[in-house]
Amino acid sequence: MKKRICVVTSYIPFVYGGNEILAENLSKKLKEFGFESYVVFIPQNPFGKQISAYLSTRFTNLEFKGSGNEINQVISLKFPSYAIRHVNHVCWLSHRMREYYDLWDEFYRNLPSLSYRIKEQIRRFAIHGLDNYFLKRGVKKIYAQSENSGIRLKKWGGIEAEVVYPPPRDMVYRDGPYEKYLLSISRLTKYKRHNLFIDAFRFINDKNIKGYIIGEGEERGELEKQIEKSGLKDRVFLLGYISDEELEKYYSHSLGVFFGPYDEELGLVTLEAMKFRRPVITCSDSGGPLEFIKDGETGFVVNPDPEKIAERIEYLSSEEGLAENLGREAFEIVKDITWEKVIEKLVIV
């Protein structure tokens, strides 16, 4: 009988992004390597109700011993999925709840009153305690999905974690012509900073360069207003969710990709773009992408300033062969990140 492995992660209904993509791809690859696998999505819960999400996850036991449906291992990915109970539990962590860790100062500063601050301090204390308990006592092994994730585990909790980078998802990684447009791909949320990408087009003199934003999220309305207010409706386009086949076409014909989130753990977009031999423009405070993007070698690293981003976009467009040369070097960085190496680490049964 094949060994059974559940991939466990949290989700928010109607939200689909890197976490969901990674969970589905990991499960798919486990099947290809001869295991039975299933993705278990557990609730993340609305903000302020996180403790109940931890408790409901903790009271979920996936072992099913003696039932004929025994599950041999679980692999959890993000909060609060690592609260799941199983004797063979490996955590491949993307991140804990960032508002109570690396984003705490900004989050706390913007709370509306003293009573909110006191409540959130108590909640932060409780969540730190739960995270430390589950990650130190409830799992057999912890891996981090990036050096940035590993640094945060060490800083808040003193937890050591080996870094295992996730490969980009399965697509046809063809290398097409370098056309005059750039992509910005990820959920439309504040910390992904698509607004910087839009603002940059105000400073780009070459009006033939276009920008395509791919993804959905709560910031869509604000981004639409920004595009209209800036007079960029004929140059920057919100495409929403698109199929993998369409995404492959956009990637493989693009000049490059802008991915400038604020202090990201990693960002699968970075790895996808580089595997398509596309240079990536990122920001000096973007965190995980800086583990791969070397300024002037595999892309560009700039301050989170629209004018600086615009300069790099125009430079990429105007210098013949530059995008191709940077993309070639980018591919060399990521070509050896494989699912075989990941599964060799994560599977313990």
Side-chain angles (χ1 to χ4, degrees), residues 87-98:
V87 66
N88 290 321
H89 180 178
V90 170
C91 180
W92 189 26
L93 187 69
S94 58
H95 62 87
R96 294 168 289 185
M97 189 166 188
R98 295 185 63 191

Side-chain angles (χ1 to χ4, degrees), residues 27-28 112 120-121 127 135 177 187-188 217 228 243 245-246 287 335 344:
S27 182
K28 174 185 173 183
E120 291 304 330
Q121 284 175 325
I127 286 177
L135 290 171
R187 283 177 54 197
L188 308 185
E228 185 167 1
S243 68
E245 291 77 14
E246 290 176 294
K335 68 178 183 180
E344 183 180 316

Side-chain angles (χ1 to χ4, degrees), residues 12 14-21 24-25 169 187 216 241:
I12 299 172
F14 303 104
V15 172
Y16 189 78
N19 170 65
E20 292 76 20
I21 291 169
E24 291 172 355
N25 273 275
R169 71 184 119 173
R187 283 177 54 197
E216 283 290 356
Y241 287 130

Side-chain angles (χ1 to χ4, degrees), residues 21 95 111 199 301 338 348:
I21 291 169
H95 62 87
L111 291 172
D199 269 347
V301 180
T338 65
I348 60 174

Side-chain angles (χ1 to χ4, degrees), residues 198-199 201-202 207 210 223-237:
I198 295 170
D199 269 347
F201 277 81
R202 294 170 48 230
K207 308 305 182 187
K210 308 297 183 185
L223 297 177
E224 287 175 342
K225 291 177 185 176
Q226 183 184 355
I227 291 170
E228 185 167 1
K229 185 177 179 180
S230 301
L232 296 170
K233 292 182 71 174
D234 60 342
R235 297 171 61 197
V236 181
F237 307 90

Side-chain angles (χ1 to χ4, degrees), residues 96 101-102 128 149-159:
R96 294 168 289 185
Y101 290 93
D102 55 295
H128 277 224
S149 295
I151 289 168
R152 290 174 184 168
L153 279 168
K154 180 68 174 176
K155 181 176 180 179
W156 291 288
I159 300 169

Side-chain angles (χ1 to χ4, degrees), residues 225-269:
K225 291 177 185 176
Q226 183 184 355
I227 291 170
E228 185 167 1
K229 185 177 179 180
S230 301
L232 296 170
K233 292 182 71 174
D234 60 342
R235 297 171 61 197
V236 181
F237 307 90
L238 293 168
L239 301 184
Y241 287 130
I242 62 176
S243 68
D244 283 354
E245 291 77 14
E246 290 176 294
L247 183 59
E248 290 166 10
K249 182 178 178 180
Y250 274 103
Y251 262 134
S252 63
H253 288 248
S254 68
L255 189 64
V257 174
F258 171 77
F259 187 63
Y262 176 72
D263 203 13
E264 185 87 353
E265 290 74 30
L266 176 61
L268 291 177
V269 172

